[in-house]
């Protein structure tokens, strides 16, 4: 019997799913024990290594999440909001750590995770990279140090397949800026400008989403005042940074008390 945690990856065929499978199989701190895809997907029933175009990994893609979770200590889930809610209930039933990278969840969907977090560890973050989580801390500090003479704008760019906007990371950065200023993001967020919008409202936090090509993820937090500007920037050039962060979270969560955590907890920032 090994003490190396067994990991299940959901959304196996996705951009992040495939990156996570590589990261887990390359790691000597975790074992890949299951991979899940949605029912009807042509990867279901195939060896996941072969489906990815490489050598067999001895793990068959399944559309039965509970059966897979029952063999595991952690589930790493970068899929879609409705799927993530279903996986949260099943991961809690199997007492697996549930690492959630899925973005675009509504407030109601986030609240619906609460019952699962009474029985199991959930680590959820709109961005799992060390660099972005540091940027979040810096944003909070800079926003706290500056007054509303500095207009805050969050500018993000992603590949053309991305389905939600602003990105989960942009919202994390907006929340951090609002927290630094001692205000609620919902009261100051300006999420779309088009047409005759009128002058910018003092204290607002603006969001802009660029979508194009294969951009992995770029985020600027701009603090613009008369006569000077500060720009905090993170550029992701490789999805591996998110997968490494997610695996770190899955390992960190082993033996922790049930509840909801984020990457600030995992990274001890
Ligand atoms: P993708 O579309 O390439 O992959 C999504 C995968 O989920 C697909 O394989 C799809 O079949 C699968 N899926 C959907 N519903 C399912 C279900 N019910 N059961 C099993 N599988 C299901 O998308 P992606 O680029 O890999 O991104 C996935 C999510 O991760 C998005 O929400 C994205 O914003 C987010 N993301 C988060 C981070 C982070 O650090 N938190 C980083 C990158 C992407």
């Amino acid at each position: 019997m090994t003490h190396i945690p067994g990991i299940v990856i959901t959304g196996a065929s996705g951009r992040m799913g495939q990156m996570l499978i590589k990261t887990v199989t390359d790691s000597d701190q975790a074992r890949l024990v299951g991979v899940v895809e949605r029912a009807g997907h042509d990867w279901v029933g195939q060896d996941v290594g072969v489906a990815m175009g490489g050598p067999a990994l001895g793990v068959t893609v399944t559309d039965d999440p509970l059966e897979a979770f029952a063999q595991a200590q952690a589930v790493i889930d970068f899929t879609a909001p409705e799927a993530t809610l279903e996986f949260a209930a099943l991961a809690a039933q199997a007492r697996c750590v549930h690492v959630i990278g899925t973005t675009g969840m509504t407030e109601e969907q986030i609240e619906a995770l609460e019952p699962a977090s009474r029985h199991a560890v959930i680590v959820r973050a709109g961005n799992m990279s060390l660099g972005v989580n540091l940027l979040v801390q810096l944003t909070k500090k800079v926003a706290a140090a500056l007054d509303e003479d500095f207009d805050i704008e969050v500018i993000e760019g992603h590949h053309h397949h991305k389905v939600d906007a602003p990105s989960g990371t942009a919202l994390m950065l907006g929340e951090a800026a609002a927290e630094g200023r001692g205000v609620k993001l919902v009261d100051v967020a300006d999420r779309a400008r088009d047409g005759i919008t009128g002058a910018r409202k003092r204290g607002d936090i603006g969001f802009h989403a660029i979508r194009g090509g294969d951009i992995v993820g770029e985020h600027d937090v701009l603090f613009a005042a008369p006569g000077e500007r500060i720009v905090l920037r993170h550029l992701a050039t490789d999805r591996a940074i998110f997968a490494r962060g997610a695996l770190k979270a899955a390992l960190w969560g082993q033996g922790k008390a049930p509840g909801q955590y984020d990457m600030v907890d995992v990274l001890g920032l």
Side-chain angles (χ1 to χ4, degrees):
M1 187 70 185
T2 171
H3 293 293
I4 295 180
I7 312 270
V8 170
I9 306 296
T10 58
S13 74
R15 278 174 289 273
M16 279 306 302
Q18 296 194 48
M19 182 56 76
L20 286 157
I21 289 163
K22 283 199 199 90
T23 303
V24 172
T25 50
D26 286 351
S27 169
D28 54 10
Q29 292 179 286
R31 295 173 294 133
L32 184 70
V33 295
V35 290
V36 177
E37 247 311 338
R38 61 170 125 213
H41 194 282
D42 57 7
W43 281 27
V44 174
Q46 290 193 54
D47 182 282
V48 70
V50 174
M52 284 167 65
L57 291 173
V59 179
T60 304
V61 183
T62 177
D63 58 6
D64 182 345
L66 188 54
E67 184 193 66
F69 296 0
Q71 317 297 317
Q73 282 70 53
V75 175
I76 305 183
D77 174 20
F78 285 59
T79 54
E82 312 73 46
T84 289
L85 280 185
E86 183 199 332
F87 295 148
L90 300 176
Q93 209 175 316
R95 299 293 188 266
C96 287
V97 172
H98 187 192
V99 178
I100 302 177
T102 306
T103 63
M105 296 180 78
T106 63
E107 283 304 317
E108 292 72 36
Q109 286 171 326
I110 291 166
E111 275 168 28
L113 294 172
E114 209 275 325
S117 70
R118 278 191 245 130
H119 303 285
V121 171
I122 292 181
V123 183
R124 189 178 64 84
N127 193 302
M128 299 267 171
S129 82
L130 171 63
V132 158
N133 283 280
L134 268 176
L135 184 70
V136 167
Q137 304 302 311
L138 292 172
T139 299
K140 202 184 299 177
K141 280 202 169 160
V142 175
L146 301 173
D147 65 19
E148 291 185 353
D149 283 348
F150 283 81
D151 297 324
I152 303 177
E153 300 276 307
V154 182
I155 304 132
E156 54 107 342
H158 283 87
H159 53 86
H160 58 212
H161 299 291
K162 187 162 177 65
V163 295
D164 53 317
S167 69
T169 306
L171 292 171
M172 278 168 70
L173 293 165
E175 290 283 359
E179 204 182 318
R181 276 206 167 153
V183 295
K184 283 207 158 84
L185 183 62
V186 291
D187 297 332
V188 296
D190 187 358
R191 291 175 54 151
R193 297 193 190 109
D194 187 23
I196 311 298
T197 59
R200 189 185 197 287
K201 219 166 111 204
R202 189 177 161 84
D204 272 1
I205 297 177
F207 290 88
H208 311 274
I210 292 160
R211 293 290 175 267
D214 60 357
I215 302 172
V216 172
E218 303 187 349
H219 294 85
D220 277 7
V221 186
L222 168 70
F223 298 84
E228 60 181 334
R229 295 201 292 273
I230 299 169
V231 185
L232 301 181
R233 168 172 293 173
H234 182 267
L235 302 177
T237 53
D238 187 345
R239 281 187 181 84
I241 60 172
F242 310 127
R244 283 199 293 268
L247 176 57
K248 188 176 270 202
L251 299 175
W252 175 89
Q254 301 301 313
K256 292 280 184 304
Q260 293 200 48
Y261 301 89
D262 61 21
M263 285 307 282
V264 174
D265 300 310
V266 173
L267 298 168
L269 295 171

